[in-house]
Amino acid sequence: MIYSVHGKLIAKEPSLAVVECGGVGYACRTTFHTLGQLGSIGEAVFLYTVLSVREDAAELFGFATKQELQCFQLLVSVSGVGPKAALSILSDLSPDQFLLTVASGDSKALTRTKGIGAKSAQRIVMELKDKIAGESIGLLAGSETAAVSGVSQSSGNVGEAIEALVTLGYTQSEVAPIVAKLDPTLSSSELIRQTLQEFGKNRT
């Protein structure tokens, strides 16, 4: 198994980075986020890698961060989700955004990725939500994702506030990070008011 590659970047194309190590160029399929973090041609780069071997092909996938690598591994563990679909999702969403989306149960956000239908998005959320909320969350993301996971499962005023905000047209992955930072003892109407106020600040 090739765990990582460390060498000179000799080519960079959409969804592909080629890293020369010891005179051998390793073509790594990758995401837009990783490509954006790589330097210029000729500079030294480091990528975490996954080798995928099938009957008709062997492909190497590379990622700038261990978090993105782990998100990729989670995605391809889902029935019906292949490496190409996983790269597409992680090109549209950063690792933190992906984790927040799944933790909050926002399958609709995943359908914005080309080729990901409603059924596939729901399957991803269903199969990964518990994994992300479990012990592996410490390896995958910080306290914000953990907090969102807890908020997404809340009832009472917090749950009512989130439901109301979703009804207003926001997605769970948009509102959950904000609600997670508020006092859970506040009334649902006050939670809604403060969340909307925070959205207003971000847009100014």
Side-chain angles (χ1 to χ4, degrees), residues 115-135:
I116 304 299
K119 288 185 178 179
S120 295
Q122 290 166 6
R123 190 184 308 117
I124 290 169
V125 169
M126 182 178 67
E127 293 190 23
L128 298 185
K129 189 171 183 179
D130 288 343
K131 291 182 181 180
I132 289 174
E135 293 182 3

Side-chain angles (χ1 to χ4, degrees), residues 87-136:
L87 287 183
S88 295
I89 290 171
L90 293 175
S91 286
D92 289 341
L93 300 171
S94 70
D96 278 338
Q97 289 171 332
F98 168 70
L99 292 167
L100 290 172
T101 294
V102 174
S104 62
D106 187 12
S107 62
K108 185 178 179 181
L110 296 174
T111 63
R112 295 169 187 160
T113 295
K114 186 178 180 180
I116 304 299
K119 288 185 178 179
S120 295
Q122 290 166 6
R123 190 184 308 117
I124 290 169
V125 169
M126 182 178 67
E127 293 190 23
L128 298 185
K129 189 171 183 179
D130 288 343
K131 291 182 181 180
I132 289 174
E135 293 182 3
S136 62

